[in-house]
Amino acid sequence: MSNLDRQPALSACGGRGFVVAEPVRELLSPRTVKLGESTEVRRLLPNLGRRMVGAWCFVDHYGPDDIADEPGMQVAPHPHSGLQTVSWLHEGEVLHRDSVGSLETIRPRELGLMTSGRGISHSEESPRPHARLLHGAQLWVALPDAHRDVAPHFQHHAELPQVTAPGLTATVILGSLDGATSPGTAYSPIVGADLTLAAGTETRLPLDPDFEYAVLSMSGEAHVDGVPVLPGSMLYLGCGRTELPLRASSDAGLMLLGGEPFEEEIVMFWNWIGRSNEEIVQFRKDWMEGTRYGEVKGYDGPPIPAPQLPPVPLKARGRVR
């Protein structure tokens, strides 16, 4: 998924200087962003208070939206470098096309994982016809320096492993949780899991104390370590936890995001992740000149032009503002 902000901020993320080494409860509020022609998203990362959780560096939550009489998601071809995109749906479908020839319809609780590596372009759209409701999350994972030039590729996994407890089903999207490992390719120590809780459930989820974590609320009423987390908000939890208390007042859906704190500093601008302002300048030049990123075939419309770069170069500020 694209960041379609026409005036995106150029910012530095990563590094361990601002990692919270102990458990915390830091509630992050979203900002609303228009995505494409008719989709509105709630952006949780990067946030005014925090830019990364492990290697997770971008989190959008959207819906549930009634698109019965609307075109739904319509995101024209756009580029990515230096990251993985994770598409995750609770309702609806998204048709993915990319410049390496992938064509796949992603459905609820199926993993769409695109590794941009050196460079890829893709489009995302609601199929025609499409389901009445659209509800999901789009996330990015920063690639570590050793792997950020891998060959671009796309993976689709309709079947994913699950961890269960009374009233809880945890679907492992990426990385490992409680001995279950996703088939999706991960390039750093990470975990992403979809948590479904039945009303009245009280349980504890095992965690890795070396990871930092956050929980995104997708739906319902749930308390995470005693904190009520409403749909579209995210609770940052810090490090040092061996378990996470969860309580559901109603049927609820959450996403657990975590990983080893990302040591490298990264530069994010529009749909690229690099290591310097100069590298971002080159990414933009390549996209506008039609090199590096290939062509998305089959999408009915032109690609998205890159926004202008800011007039001043980046000043690194670490993981938080």
Side-chain angles (χ1 to χ4, degrees), residues 173-221:
I173 301 168
L174 199 63
S176 299
L177 177 68
D178 196 26
T181 300
S182 166
T185 302
Y187 292 92
S188 59
I190 196 169
V191 64
D194 183 85
L195 311 180
T196 301
L197 293 94
T201 297
E202 289 194 41
T203 190
R204 291 176 178 266
L205 191 68
L207 300 181
D208 184 335
D210 293 330
F211 281 16
E212 60 177 341
Y213 290 95
V215 170
L216 167 67
S217 175
M218 298 287 287
S219 61
E221 299 179 25

Side-chain angles (χ1 to χ4, degrees), residues 2-10 31 33-36 43 75-79 269-272 284 287-288 302-310:
S2 174
N3 175 8
L4 298 185
D5 190 343
R6 299 310 300 166
Q7 294 182 317
L10 182 67
R31 65 185 179 93
V33 178
K34 288 290 290 183
L35 182 71
R43 184 153 298 162
V75 182
H78 57 278
F269 179 78
W270 199 44
N271 296 300
W272 299 300
R284 184 186 185 279
W287 174 244
M288 296 302 287
I304 301 172
Q308 292 294 325
L309 289 163

Side-chain angles (χ1 to χ4, degrees), residues 41-87:
V41 304
R42 291 165 287 280
R43 184 153 298 162
L44 282 310
L45 285 181
N47 193 283
L48 284 175
R50 188 156 301 278
R51 293 194 179 95
M52 297 186 77
V53 178
W56 301 98
C57 59
F58 183 94
V59 177
D60 276 353
H61 173 249
Y62 54 91
D65 296 324
D66 188 335
I67 60 170
D69 300 318
E70 303 289 339
M73 184 179 294
Q74 299 293 323
V75 182
H78 57 278
H80 288 288
S81 289
L83 58 93
Q84 294 177 288
T85 66
V86 176
S87 298

Side-chain angles (χ1 to χ4, degrees), residues 12-175:
C13 314
R16 296 179 181 240
F18 291 91
V19 175
V20 180
E22 66 277 342
V24 297
R25 302 174 188 85
E26 180 183 308
L27 193 62
L28 305 180
S29 298
R31 65 185 179 93
T32 301
V33 178
K34 288 290 290 183
L35 182 71
E37 297 176 8
S38 57
T39 303
E40 191 172 83
V41 304
R42 291 165 287 280
R43 184 153 298 162
L44 282 310
L45 285 181
N47 193 283
L48 284 175
R50 188 156 301 278
R51 293 194 179 95
M52 297 186 77
V53 178
W56 301 98
C57 59
F58 183 94
V59 177
D60 276 353
H61 173 249
Y62 54 91
D65 296 324
D66 188 335
I67 60 170
D69 300 318
E70 303 289 339
M73 184 179 294
Q74 299 293 323
V75 182
H78 57 278
H80 288 288
S81 289
L83 58 93
Q84 294 177 288
T85 66
V86 176
S87 298
W88 190 253
L89 290 169
H90 276 196
E91 295 179 277
E93 307 90 22
V94 172
L95 178 62
H96 167 97
R97 304 175 193 265
D98 64 41
S99 56
V100 298
S102 308
L103 177 63
E104 192 68 59
T105 300
I106 303 166
R107 297 179 174 84
R109 268 77 180 194
E110 297 180 354
L111 172 61
L113 177 64
M114 187 180 74
T115 301
S116 68
R118 179 178 180 274
I120 197 171
S121 56
H122 74 139
S123 64
E124 294 158 298
E125 57 188 308
S126 296
R128 301 185 183 98
H130 53 67
R132 181 180 188 89
L133 296 178
L134 180 65
H135 181 205
Q138 183 73 22
L139 313 99
W140 295 358
V141 178
L143 288 171
D145 191 62
H147 299 288
R148 65 192 184 101
D149 287 326
V150 300
H153 58 277
F154 178 78
Q155 296 173 265
H156 175 247
H157 297 285
E159 300 292 334
L160 296 167
Q162 294 184 333
V163 174
T164 59
L168 168 70
T169 299
T171 301
V172 184
I173 301 168
L174 199 63

